[in-house]
Amino acid sequence: MSHPTSSRTDENWRETPFDDDKLKEECGIFGVIGTTDAANFAALGLHALQHRGQEAGGIVTYSPEANFQSVRRFGYVRDNFTSATVMEKLPGSLAIGHVRYSTAGSKGQTAIRDVQPFFGEFSMGGAAIAHNGNITNADALRKELVERGSIFQSSSDSECIIHLMARSMGRNIPDRMEEALRKVEGAFSVVAMTRTKLIGVRDPLGVRPLVLGRVGDGYALASETCALDIIGAEFLREIEPGEMVVITAEKGVESHHPFRPAKSRFCIFEHVYFSRPDSILGGRSVYETREAIGRELAKEAPVDADLVCPVPDSGTPAAIGYSLESGIPYAMGIIRNQYMGRTFIEPTEQIRNMGVRLKLNVNRALIRGKRVILVDDSVVRGTTSRKIKEMILDAGAAEVHFRIASPPTAWPCFYGVDTPQREKLLAATMSEDEMREHLGVDSLKFISLDGLYRAVGEAKGRDPSSPQYCDACFSGEYPVEPSDQIDKGFELKTAAE
Amino acid sequence: MSHPTSSRTDENWRETPFDDDKLKEECGIFGVIGTTDAANFAALGLHALQHRGQEAGGIVTYSPEANFQSVRRFGYVRDNFTSATVMEKLPGSLAIGHVRYSTAGSKGQTAIRDVQPFFGEFSMGGAAIAHNGNITNADALRKELVERGSIFQSSSDSECIIHLMARSMGRNIPDRMEEALRKVEGAFSVVAMTRTKLIGVRDPLGVRPLVLGRVGDGYALASETCALDIIGAEFLREIEPGEMVVITAEKGVESHHPFRPAKSRFCIFEHVYFSRPDSILGGRSVYETREAIGRELAKEAPVDADLVCPVPDSGTPAAIGYSLESGIPYAMGIIRNQYMGRTFIEPTEQIRNMGVRLKLNVNRALIRGKRVILVDDSVVRGTTSRKIKEMILDAGAAEVHFRIASPPTAWPCFYGVDTPQREKLLAATMSEDEMREHLGVDSLKFISLDGLYRAVGEAKGRDPSSPQYCDACFSGEYPVEPSDQIDKGFELKTAAE
Amino acid sequence: MSHPTSSRTDENWRETPFDDDKLKEECGIFGVIGTTDAANFAALGLHALQHRGQEAGGIVTYSPEANFQSVRRFGYVRDNFTSATVMEKLPGSLAIGHVRYSTAGSKGQTAIRDVQPFFGEFSMGGAAIAHNGNITNADALRKELVERGSIFQSSSDSECIIHLMARSMGRNIPDRMEEALRKVEGAFSVVAMTRTKLIGVRDPLGVRPLVLGRVGDGYALASETCALDIIGAEFLREIEPGEMVVITAEKGVESHHPFRPAKSRFCIFEHVYFSRPDSILGGRSVYETREAIGRELAKEAPVDADLVCPVPDSGTPAAIGYSLESGIPYAMGIIRNQYMGRTFIEPTEQIRNMGVRLKLNVNRALIRGKRVILVDDSVVRGTTSRKIKEMILDAGAAEVHFRIASPPTAWPCFYGVDTPQREKLLAATMSEDEMREHLGVDSLKFISLDGLYRAVGEAKGRDPSSPQYCDACFSGEYPVEPSDQIDKGFELKTAAE
Amino acid sequence: MSHPTSSRTDENWRETPFDDDKLKEECGIFGVIGTTDAANFAALGLHALQHRGQEAGGIVTYSPEANFQSVRRFGYVRDNFTSATVMEKLPGSLAIGHVRYSTAGSKGQTAIRDVQPFFGEFSMGGAAIAHNGNITNADALRKELVERGSIFQSSSDSECIIHLMARSMGRNIPDRMEEALRKVEGAFSVVAMTRTKLIGVRDPLGVRPLVLGRVGDGYALASETCALDIIGAEFLREIEPGEMVVITAEKGVESHHPFRPAKSRFCIFEHVYFSRPDSILGGRSVYETREAIGRELAKEAPVDADLVCPVPDSGTPAAIGYSLESGIPYAMGIIRNQYMGRTFIEPTEQIRNMGVRLKLNVNRALIRGKRVILVDDSVVRGTTSRKIKEMILDAGAAEVHFRIASPPTAWPCFYGVDTPQREKLLAATMSEDEMREHLGVDSLKFISLDGLYRAVGEAKGRDPSSPQYCDACFSGEYPVEPSDQIDKGFELKTAAE
């Protein structure tokens, strides 16, 4: 049984997302077993992962007395999962949770029933799952399942997993999950729970992150290490690509490798933008990696100027790196209004037109007459970059030089990131020179793909025959064929491109 | 995919139903095809059927532009489905709707996902259904469906129908619905819709009502005729027991009889209490039937007194009949507070203890020193009757005589009515005399079962070998075996009883 | 300090009142001293008085620990003042409360700051007051007060009283209240409280009601006796016209008569419509008075017919009286939908046009072919009467005879009742014959003014030289000159009329 | 008329402020005249001033058609004053607005009636005012006003101004405001409006800021220049200490000097923390001043270390200055969670105990083994500083050196800033050495008072005989006697201190 598009508007939302022209990670996931008040840990962990999804969040718990319980809400974790009234509905020592990004406006509207974790009651008991990533053959799977009598409740690709599990003849839930995930293509990190087990899985390429930590006598799984820090958990290790861990109170962590082995292709954009700077990836803080990207960029694309200013906040570590390498003083030439939210409900025309001015203001007295290097993490559609350039020139800057801490973003991501259609990506339709002219700046330089690989620790740069990372958004080389998209008409890169 | 018990409390409800000790009809249903703004008609129809269910309501519409749309809400129709903002989300010329009774408190809490209409997307398109009644083999069906991989979303018995339809190999939705309903046991009136059809079905015994009306060039289906009146529709006829009508814009009403023929057993309590007095049942207004019950009662159980007073509002027509037959003046000895609602959110101790005094007050100056006949429609647990008697005596009445417009309610209903467990029914554990003593009144008389049958138009009374109505709540004779209940330990009436 | 018209819309209300074309009492008041949890009693009392005002309510309490506390809310008492969370904010053994009628739409919108009780901090301590009635020189008083530096917070006439008290040089609050009320003209019943006293006052003519009761060791004041019943208080007596009672825990009830003596002119419409039928006025239940009005009407205006039907619910007692006197059977020919509320938020066009059909439905099967006497309490603008007549004829009635339990309402009330402007009153512009034609009924009769006086107990009818009641709405004879209205252009009745 | 403590809890708030141990500016003010949709400009200006007050905001407008209109709300400007539904209630070309800081928890709770702008209706018309600062003789004024019959509505000191205006015999509103403000002692910047005038005033010492800008053909007044930037207004000049400007559409800006001349004593803490870094004060961006403070601090208190890290976000500019001066690399050693709000509603125990960990996380991989200089703007109670030190050490830092960009905060502010009682200020009870020990850091240094004066542009440092700024929070020298506080027992600095 399910429901038609009784959407979020049904709850009187008519929100307009504030557009800051960034790629958006679509999810953060978290799970914990073996602690009292597991839901509190889940809430804290999800709060630390809020940058991975701000639209909605959910937590499912299990306790013998209360059975499975679930609370799912639109809005921030801090507004929904801190009150005693809500949290007392989520008892138990086992919990998983999920935060998701708003796709409102771009892809239609989300209903509360699209908010994870998802839950299914099977003949041997219930299970809940939370998924970060994207299933690239979800449309085909859904069609097949509906023909056989499954009734979908959400519009989410992730729901396929739970229906595949329902139809599996596996004797227990981990077996059913293995069987289901073997039918699934794409990128996924999953945390799941039964009445006694916490389960974590990464797809064979390990596109999306998932880490394991120890908290007291229990364990936690999280998208990033910053979610372990907040609950005082010790970071043990990353879950390996293609690994499934099944964690119980009795036996601790058991590791399985249900998938055919494959070479790892971790998402390089996690280093550039998605992950939080205080998270640890590959043994180093993401902050340090970004500072290194800035240093590399200063070497590749130097320019004479008075100030290095970040586009706040995502350009900050690279700007610091650029300043340290170039010796040009670092300064906050653009100030962010920290009371700016993510969306508006039914905004006036004037608010709609304000755009980035609501969030950023130029430090006029500082910038006037200066030659300014602006460091940003990426250029997507270029809309914000243009407005920032205008604000800077309007404040009287003598020169504006853009330096971008990633290569041109020319291809959409189909692995769990919200990207515009290809034709909306500035780099898909313009050369670097055309982009410079379009943005109207004195110079524009992107870091090279090899430079980026060096900065993330690959001393020899990218291995073109077998790239060490998923860099499809830059290179157009998709490690998993996006079959649903191809069915809808998406054209892969040709040999000529 | 479904969700665990994220219940209504998730939406911050903690309500205590105001107990007025009545049996509760669990649902009202409505459907309309071939009119502009069908949802507006549905809202009006459901408003007229609000007495059949006050907890929640929902409407589903279809239009080629907007596809299926759904709004489901807790609370009254008038508060949820009158605003332009909500109704503009429900475009189209085809709509069905549902109101349901609150079982909060008695059976646990309802979640919004338990609110109908239910919707399923099948390979040939979507369908929505709304169900009034109860499926007596729902537990068994559900177990079987889960074993085969169906994932239930609600705790409602009605959801079985949609899963049975999903698994059917029927080529179109009416065929699938026929197949599904043939597997279902119990009492049901159903309205359903596809993109082009409005469908209405009654179970073979016709336990719950369903009527057909004509509105402009279109048609409407409703639980009662009062819902046709409000939209200005002409009452055509009742849907027959075991009939399925399929209504389209092109072909009008097509009638099918998919079930094995059976003798009609309409719920006699619809005449006594459930239906609205201005609805037409069996060619006569329910008001007239109730007045006739009062006249019959006056003949069966006369008593010398000064005033005939109804227990408002359900006892009113019978009290008028009693007065007309007996010649004893009719008077409003008990005044109802019309601002009294159905539930409280987190009431104070004092409010909880007030009970019926919040709703009723005795007309002290009128009652003092008088011999009063109180006419009520039924006695369920007797809690309210006791309090009313105390209030009347406290106001100085000389004598109190209870006259009840139905036989003793000694058995629970399993066909879509909310009844207490058998041991809570006063008449299940006490003789009439014990009840009189328990209530502390000067006399207590119930109408006889034969008298009731006469009043509803069966001149010869009840045919014990083949009763004309379902009267299980009085007689303990269940026309459909309540198999789920028997599995849970319910004991049918023995030969000795 | 005050605020401009930050109105109720500020709180996102856009409501359209459901118009049932009645005069509206504007307030109910209640006070209690000497009981634990006085606020709970106040809430119950106000719930019983809800018919006197449904828009909003407020309660003020005093306890030595918590000082004065106040909660004021839009909506019904039962929705706002039953929850433990709210009531625990209102501790103490002394409380007063107020309910008010919605004037939304007709007079502009109400803000929460217009909701009583009002509170003022004076040099000798705080006081709260709640007022039922209308101050006929409020505009003049307000102008004077503003010129001297008083800042008004509300648009309410009642606020003058608290500013007059603030400026008084009286040594204690009862003295200040006496001084203030001597400057005030019009109709008023007031309950007030200080830290230790409960105070009740009626204007010299006693236009609006106020009664005194004993509850446990304490006392209660209320607009009507039905509010004493609900808390189990004993009705002691009415406060006399021109009397001020000051009640303390130590000394009990002290009676003062601060005003110049005058002959009582109680509002006769309280008998006809405003008061609840179970309240006691002049030693008799209001229900009995209304039944007597019906009997008087049957004598004055008999007609041959098949059924006497009330326009529910206000016409019911008079219809019963008419039936008893005439011998024509009483029947419920029109059924009220009890789930109909008072207002809509942003209704669709269709809902707006439905009007009375949302609330009333004709009992078609009963009415068809019958000659029907419809008894209503009054005709104001006649809009509802016309629609009811149409519904009745549409259902196939053979004849429709209107009988009205009050004389023609031809003049507005300026003493605390919401009446349309004079030109909107049907009886102000038409003769009885024209009205009959306008309404399109077979006959239309109003009770005579003398008949009404007889029914309320004045055996000799109205004393034209010195009427025993205020009947300005019928007679145009205003016992207190409506000076603010005259300043705005209202024309008193001329000798010629 | 006013109301007792019907507080914010009345609206079901039970919030716990998130404590980040900072002094809090209590208000930001804004006004605009001569533009269409003035309220939209006010909303944008207040959004830019949100850092000066996050609890609540209000806007008052005037238009000939709609008269004065007001909307006041708890919460952020962006959540309350961006929607078309709200803004269409605020028409006109003249508007003023106010944002206020939450004092919830520290001083009791705020009610909506404490939210400015305040409005008063005088005999010559209405006026609204918004006030930033604090009236040091408000208690005495209030007592006097109440004795004369004024009724206070709020608990705000600012309300005195409007009552003094109401009682003034001045012929027009600017005259009345002059008269009122001459009776008021303390620090105040005020914007006010009548139907035709926008008025701005600063107290004779000019403690709080107020600037004038030109926008199209109109004018704007704002607490800071960043509020002019967002609406595209040109910054003209600061309003002078003791100046009153009256701005009309016809005559433009008229300047008055109603007060006795005095030497300016602008709040030096505006430079340190309150003002936004992109605002211009004294001809220089606040960011540059703070960078200069950091440089000065590096000169006064050098230390050998590996990294200079700010305590985000307020320590950032000074940390950059310290790094630039010292040559020690700047790095983000502490990462702020940008989804952290200001308060919680009814938090769980665990959330309450998390404190700063919810907002800040140490960049563990970066900090490990490093000698770290932490730069913060101030130390108030020291609670947050201790927790940050613990987090840093816990992450494995080798050494922690605190450098503070202001002198020890040893005295409360009585001029519109929320400060703890003196005994809660760490510097009021401990020497610098005791504080270092209390915080448990390797070294702790504050900038000297002279160093701070040099950094803000006073080359010779502080003039002890006649200080150029108000620095009472550091020096205990109060330029205006805090008379209400002295009445309550506050002890001024003795000669010995």
Side-chain angles (χ1 to χ4, degrees), chain A residues 66-136:
Chain A
N67 211 327
F68 288 97
Q69 292 292 334
S70 162
V71 174
R72 298 178 299 158
R73 297 273 172 88
F74 285 108
Y76 289 160
V77 173
R78 70 166 302 283
D79 294 328
N80 290 325
F81 295 97
T82 51
S83 83
T85 306
V86 170
M87 298 313 283
E88 70 193 20
K89 289 178 207 155
L90 296 168
S93 61
L94 180 45
I96 67 170
H98 190 269
V99 286
R100 64 171 280 154
Y101 165 64
S102 171
T103 57
S106 52
K107 298 186 184 169
Q109 282 162 315
T110 307
I112 196 70
R113 61 174 203 274
D114 287 335
V115 178
Q116 302 191 31
F118 290 148
F119 179 84
E121 192 72 44
F122 309 132
S123 46
M124 77 282 284
I129 70 164
H131 169 225
N132 174 206
N134 190 53
I135 300 174
T136 51

Side-chain angles (χ1 to χ4, degrees), chain D residues 422-483:
Chain D
R422 205 184 162 208
E423 53 273 28
K424 297 277 177 63
L425 296 169
L426 201 65
T429 58
M430 292 187 189
S431 67
E432 194 172 296
D433 216 52
E434 288 167 334
M435 285 193 268
R436 188 198 54 71
E437 200 156 321
H438 173 78
L439 297 179
V441 290
D442 295 285
S443 75
L444 165 69
K445 295 287 175 192
F446 294 83
I447 196 169
S448 68
L449 196 46
D450 269 324
L452 176 59
Y453 270 71
R454 279 193 301 271
V456 300
E458 300 290 331
K460 298 184 182 167
R462 184 180 194 253
D463 175 356
S465 66
S466 172
Q468 304 92 319
Y469 284 88
C470 176
D471 54 15
C473 52
F474 307 131
S475 67
E477 297 175 24
Y478 291 90
V480 178
E481 193 177 73
S483 56

Side-chain angles (χ1 to χ4, degrees), chain D residues 210-241:
Chain D
L210 190 64
V211 299
L212 174 68
R214 180 148 193 94
V215 51
D217 295 336
Y219 291 90
L221 293 168
S223 292
E224 299 181 31
T225 64
C226 64
L228 301 179
D229 292 346
I230 199 169
I231 62 165
E234 179 194 359
F235 171 38
L236 296 177
R237 64 175 179 87
E238 300 185 9
I239 302 301
E240 295 164 27

Side-chain angles (χ1 to χ4, degrees), chain D residues 26-29 46 49-50 52-53 56-58 77 97-101:
Chain D
E26 287 183 352
C27 299
I29 56 179
L46 293 175
L49 297 172
Q50 191 80 75
R52 298 181 75 84
V77 173
H98 190 269
V99 286
R100 62 171 282 153
Y101 165 64

Side-chain angles (χ1 to χ4, degrees), chain C residues 1 151, chain D residues 116 118 120 122 127-135 137-138 141-142 145 152 154 156-168 173 176-185 187-192 201 244:
Chain C
M1 184 226 56
I151 298 183
Chain D
Q116 302 191 32
F118 289 148
F122 310 131
I129 69 165
H131 169 225
N132 173 207
N134 190 54
I135 300 175
N137 65 334
L141 287 173
R142 189 183 188 112
L145 285 161
F152 276 70
S154 76
S156 165
D157 61 299
S158 313
E159 193 182 340
C160 289
I161 301 171
I162 205 105
H163 284 289
L164 289 169
M165 289 171 70
R167 291 180 168 274
S168 159
I173 286 168
R176 287 187 167 205
M177 186 176 291
E178 272 190 39
E179 189 183 326
L181 291 176
R182 274 196 294 263
K183 290 183 180 136
V184 151
E185 297 168 6
F188 52 85
S189 288
V190 169
V191 295
V201 198
M244 171 191 257

Side-chain angles (χ1 to χ4, degrees), chain B residues 37 40-41 44 47-48 50-51 54 76 78 82-85 87 226 229-230 232 276-278 280 284-285 287-288 313 316-317 320 324 329-332 335-348 350-351 354 357-358 361-366 368, chain C residues 37 40-41 44 47-48 50-51 54 76 78 82-85 87 226 229-230 232 276-278 280 284-285 287-288 313 316-317 320 324 329-332 335-348 350-351 354 357-358 361-366 368:
Chain B
D37 297 329
N40 263 316
F41 283 101
L44 289 166
H47 172 63
Q50 191 80 76
H51 61 289
Q54 298 94 49
Y76 289 159
R78 69 166 303 282
T82 51
S83 83
T85 306
M87 298 315 282
C226 63
D229 292 345
I230 199 169
R276 241 173 67 168
D278 48 337
I280 295 171
R284 196 165 59 156
S285 83
Y287 174 84
E288 289 168 286
D313 286 345
T316 298
I320 292 169
L324 291 171
Y330 171 82
M332 293 169 66
I335 301 297
R336 204 171 66 89
N337 182 326
Q338 53 180 311
Y339 303 103
M340 184 60 202
R342 204 180 42 85
T343 53
F344 296 102
I345 297 175
E346 190 216 352
T348 62
Q350 193 164 2
I351 290 293
M354 285 297 286
R357 295 173 66 95
L358 287 168
N361 189 31
V362 172
N363 203 331
R364 305 176 72 84
L366 176 74
R368 193 178 310 125
Chain C
D37 297 329
N40 264 315
F41 283 101
L44 289 166
H47 172 63
Q50 190 81 76
H51 60 290
Q54 298 94 50
Y76 289 160
R78 71 165 302 282
T82 51
S83 83
T85 305
M87 298 314 282
C226 64
D229 292 346
I230 200 171
R276 238 172 70 169
D278 49 336
I280 296 171
R284 197 166 57 157
S285 84
Y287 174 85
E288 289 169 285
D313 285 342
T316 299
I320 292 169
L324 290 171
Y330 171 83
M332 293 169 66
I335 301 295
R336 203 172 67 89
N337 182 327
Q338 54 181 311
Y339 303 102
M340 185 59 203
R342 205 178 42 84
T343 53
F344 295 103
I345 297 175
E346 189 217 351
T348 62
Q350 192 165 6
I351 290 292
M354 285 297 285
R357 293 174 66 95
L358 287 168
N361 189 30
V362 172
N363 205 332
R364 306 175 72 85
L366 176 73
R368 193 178 311 127

Side-chain angles (χ1 to χ4, degrees), chain A residues 132-413:
Chain A
N132 174 206
N134 190 53
I135 300 174
T136 51
N137 65 334
D139 291 354
L141 287 172
R142 190 183 187 110
K143 188 159 178 294
E144 249 182 79
L145 285 161
V146 166
E147 267 165 20
R148 276 160 183 71
S150 293
I151 298 183
F152 276 69
Q153 173 60 14
S154 76
S155 61
S156 165
D157 61 300
S158 312
E159 192 183 341
C160 287
I161 301 172
I162 206 105
H163 284 291
L164 289 169
M165 288 172 70
R167 290 180 168 274
S168 159
M169 317 232 299
R171 294 143 310 136
N172 59 45
I173 286 169
D175 283 2
R176 288 186 168 206
M177 185 175 291
E178 273 191 38
E179 190 183 326
L181 291 176
R182 274 195 294 261
K183 291 183 178 136
V184 152
E185 296 167 8
F188 53 84
S189 288
V190 168
V191 295
M193 64 186 276
T194 69
R195 281 169 295 187
T196 56
K197 301 182 181 74
L198 176 66
I199 303 169
V201 197
R202 278 177 90 190
D203 64 75
L205 304 186
V207 176
R208 303 258 72 90
L210 189 63
V211 298
L212 176 67
R214 180 150 194 95
V215 52
D217 295 337
Y219 291 91
L221 293 167
S223 293
E224 298 181 31
T225 64
C226 64
L228 301 179
D229 292 346
I230 200 170
I231 63 165
E234 180 194 358
F235 171 38
L236 295 177
R237 64 175 179 89
E238 299 184 9
I239 302 300
E240 295 164 25
E243 183 182 9
M244 171 191 259
V245 292
V246 177
I247 313 177
T248 51
E250 301 75 30
K251 303 191 189 163
V253 180
E254 293 177 303
S255 173
H256 304 266
H257 288 79
F259 308 110
R260 193 174 315 171
K263 199 192 152 200
S264 159
R265 296 292 291 273
F266 184 61
C267 167
I268 203 165
F269 218 86
E270 291 279 350
H271 285 287
V272 170
Y273 175 76
F274 296 142
S275 289
R276 239 173 68 167
D278 49 335
S279 285
I280 295 171
L281 278 178
R284 198 164 58 155
S285 85
V286 171
Y287 175 85
E288 289 169 286
T289 298
R290 289 180 192 162
E291 195 194 282
I293 295 172
R295 288 178 183 273
E296 194 71 35
L297 189 55
K299 286 183 215 156
E300 288 192 353
V303 61
D304 196 25
D306 301 311
L307 294 174
V308 179
C309 298
V311 176
D313 287 345
S314 55
T316 298
I320 293 170
Y322 197 105
S323 164
L324 290 172
E325 184 70 29
S326 66
I328 301 170
Y330 171 83
M332 293 169 65
I334 301 171
I335 300 296
R336 202 171 68 87
N337 183 326
Q338 54 181 312
Y339 302 103
M340 185 58 202
R342 202 179 43 83
T343 52
F344 295 102
I345 297 174
E346 190 217 350
T348 63
E349 196 57 29
Q350 191 165 5
I351 289 293
R352 208 188 301 270
N353 292 337
M354 284 297 287
V356 78
R357 294 174 67 95
L358 286 168
K359 186 174 171 184
L360 302 179
N361 189 31
V362 172
N363 203 332
R364 305 176 71 86
L366 176 74
I367 251 30
R368 193 178 311 126
K370 302 278 174 49
R371 295 167 303 162
V372 179
I373 301 169
L374 282 182
V375 181
D376 205 350
D377 65 285
S378 59
V379 170
V380 181
R381 283 169 295 191
T383 48
T384 298
S385 307
R386 268 177 80 119
K387 285 178 195 151
I388 287 171
K389 183 269 308 179
E390 278 162 27
M391 288 165 68
I392 290 275
L393 288 183
D394 190 55
E399 294 175 13
V400 181
H401 302 274
F402 261 112
R403 291 296 175 271
I404 309 301
S406 60
T409 306
W411 295 88
C413 176

